[in-house]
Amino acid sequence: MGKVDARLFKKVQTAPQQVATAIKEAILDGSLLPGSRLPSEEEMAENFGVSRPTVREALRTLKQARVIIATRGRKGGHCVSDLSMEHFALGMGQYMTLAIGAERMSYRDIVEVRFELELLSARTAAQRRTAEDLEALADLERLRPAGDAGSWTRQSALRYDLAFHRKLAECSHNPMIVAFVSSTIIAFQDCGVDIEDFDPADVLAHIDDVRQAVVDGDPILARGAMQRHLELAGDLCGIEPPAQR
């Protein structure tokens, strides 16, 4: 028996899928840059040799994937998204929220990944933080709950904790770390995790040690302090961190 061409086993794309794929390839090869306006539906239908409903279906798919955005007004139409990590984080965070609601994912699953991610975030932040990052961390202190630990509210402590983790990720200067940390924070907030049993002081335990290690540029100490912080956070959520297994 002769050799069979593997291309015969590839799934045949529908006309809308072919149009969407062509647009995505144009974005990837730089022919369409972020912010670029796409031709009109009529022009694309003529260029691709398909009907306008086919083009509309392709555009609908691309909009759902946040590859393009629709604009209104006299100069309205479709433009290539800026493909920012903020869009990625929002989409991933919303996906996590929906997956938890549909019982395809648990909050425990998210926390398990977040433990490892936050350790990487702390270590990388200590290695790469800039003078501007240190100023931003100092500015973040305005969100720290006022007074001593006994006067903090759970909401204020949690707000500061989440803001610190996001800022720490930004200090890593790795857009994927920023996006994934942000998405887990979005899911945490959307899922409405019960914080009634949290001690505000425990929520913020060891954060000062993490910050100081980042300021000192010590990745080993930053990772260790973050691990202690996360282990306590895991206890609060009733989730055993991977490092203890």
Side-chain angles (χ1 to χ4, degrees):
M1 181 177 178
K3 185 177 180 180
V4 178
D5 190 341
R7 290 176 296 180
L8 296 176
F9 294 95
K10 291 184 178 179
K11 183 178 179 180
V12 178
Q13 289 188 320
T14 64
Q17 289 174 332
Q18 291 175 20
V19 173
T21 296
I23 294 174
K24 286 187 286 188
E25 289 176 347
I27 295 173
L28 291 174
D29 67 19
S31 299
L32 286 173
L33 299 174
S36 298
R37 185 178 179 184
L38 299 181
S40 67
E41 291 182 3
E42 184 177 2
E43 290 174 309
M44 284 191 283
E46 183 176 351
N47 291 338
F48 288 114
V50 297
S51 65
R52 291 185 65 176
T54 294
V55 171
R56 290 194 196 101
E57 178 62 21
L59 295 177
R60 184 186 66 80
T61 300
L62 293 174
K63 283 189 290 186
Q64 288 181 337
R66 298 181 181 271
V67 175
I68 63 173
I69 58 174
T71 58
R72 296 182 178 181
R74 187 167 57 87
K75 295 183 179 181
H78 294 89
C79 296
V80 178
S81 170
D82 64 7
L83 305 180
S84 68
M85 286 295 102
E86 287 79 7
H87 283 156
F88 177 87
L90 179 60
M92 180 62 73
Q94 291 175 340
Y95 168 80
M96 291 179 185
T97 302
L98 292 172
I100 290 174
E103 297 184 349
R104 297 295 181 87
M105 181 187 297
S106 69
Y107 185 68
R108 180 183 296 272
D109 296 328
I110 295 177
V111 170
E112 186 174 53
V113 173
R114 187 185 174 199
F115 276 121
E116 300 298 334
L117 181 62
E118 293 287 1
L119 295 179
L120 173 63
S121 178
R123 175 173 61 80
T124 309
Q127 293 171 321
R128 300 178 182 174
R129 89 288 186 274
T130 64
E132 290 76 13
D133 293 327
L134 297 183
E135 290 180 6
L137 283 174
D139 290 341
L140 185 64
E141 289 306 289
R142 70 185 186 278
L143 292 181
R144 177 183 283 275
D148 57 28
S151 64
W152 296 346
T153 66
R154 297 180 183 88
Q155 288 75 15
S156 63
L158 184 61
R159 183 169 62 251
Y160 175 79
D161 176 68
L162 296 179
F164 177 79
H165 282 283
R166 191 191 301 273
K167 184 60 65 178
L168 194 68
E170 292 173 358
C171 291
S172 75
H173 294 278
N174 182 320
M176 291 303 294
I177 291 178
V178 176
F180 278 114
V181 168
S182 297
S183 65
T184 59
I185 289 174
I186 290 170
F188 180 92
Q189 294 171 320
D190 287 348
C191 290
V193 176
D194 185 12
I195 64 171
E196 290 306 311
D197 295 330
F198 287 16
D199 184 328
D202 288 341
V203 172
L204 302 185
H206 306 296
I207 275 188
D208 286 340
D209 295 335
V210 177
R211 180 192 300 100
Q212 189 59 53
V214 171
V215 170
D216 293 341
D218 192 323
I220 296 177
L221 287 182
R223 187 185 188 282
M226 178 59 77
Q227 182 166 334
R228 293 192 297 275
H229 171 66
L230 295 174
E231 287 172 352
L232 185 52
D235 290 340
L236 293 175
C237 296
I239 299 174
E240 182 182 354
Q244 294 180 342
R245 291 175 184 166

